Amino acid sequence: MQPGASMLAVGMIVLGCSGSPKPPEAPVMDAEVAPAQQVKNSTLPTAPNGTKPNQQVSMTVSWMQMEPSQAPVLVAALEPLPEWHIYWSHPGEAGLPTRFRLTRQSERLPHTTQMPLPKRMSSPGDIVSYGYEGKTHFFIDSDASRSGKDFTLRADWLACKEVCIKGQATINVSAPPAQGISPSKDAFKDWQYVPKSEAIKWTKTGPAWMLEMETSKRLELYPHEAFQLALDQTRPPYCKGNRCRIKLPPSAFKGNKSLAYTLRVESAGTAQGFTADFLKGTKP
């Protein structure tokens, strides 16, 4: 059965898009300051004439069986307008993570969300963030959602261009069909870019930590939140060609139980993503 029509309800917030001390890449419009975020500029930005906050991002959902041995997963496709973008689950120095919520009769349904590799984006002020332009598929897996009863999927995002507008969409979803639905070509392409867990070894060279692969590979490092904060001594890009080089203060090893990151590895025109813990990769 196909999901019902979407309803866009977009709010507007003022302020910095992450917990980073840097400002957002564009003014964010809303009536309140989000918790655990810092306001760099207290001047309230105003919406440009003609701005319609319910038109930056569209959402559709469908059930797809991404692998023959896998149960159907809910696939949400978010598509910003041209020149607009939304953010990855770990947005970097600016932005807000794209999030999903499943609810049935006011009860939250446990789930996991898998996202494809993001794109690194640079903004004025040397601000680096990670996100998506164009149509992107997000894969939401929940045993509870396949129970045969309808439920609600809500997506929250921050869409940015000259300004940033916080928005959301809610869709009523029916149980998956009895027969599996093969993924579309575009959805399967994004599925192939979902990072996989991997153990990755780093080596200490003088004051820096190094990661090096074959010369035919090109690396790009996307730090998660704790790692992002710990990398104040190193500015992105953290990798050049087949080598990554970073510096960390001693406090990074004492105050964190995990320093997770995602590594993009390109080779022969294809890309793979791997998620790892830096702390585990530095142990002998």
Side-chain angles (χ1 to χ4, degrees), residues 71-116:
V73 297
L74 193 63
V75 180
L78 298 183
E79 185 170 9
L81 289 174
E83 300 183 19
W84 287 79
H85 63 265
I86 57 176
Y87 292 91
W88 186 43
S89 53
H90 310 284
E93 297 177 314
L96 289 174
T98 298
R99 299 185 186 278
F100 297 91
R101 179 189 302 176
L102 276 62
T103 308
R104 180 183 290 129
Q105 297 179 350
S106 301
E107 178 185 356
R108 294 278 190 94
L109 303 183
H111 68 278
T112 59
T113 301
Q114 294 180 285
M115 300 185 180

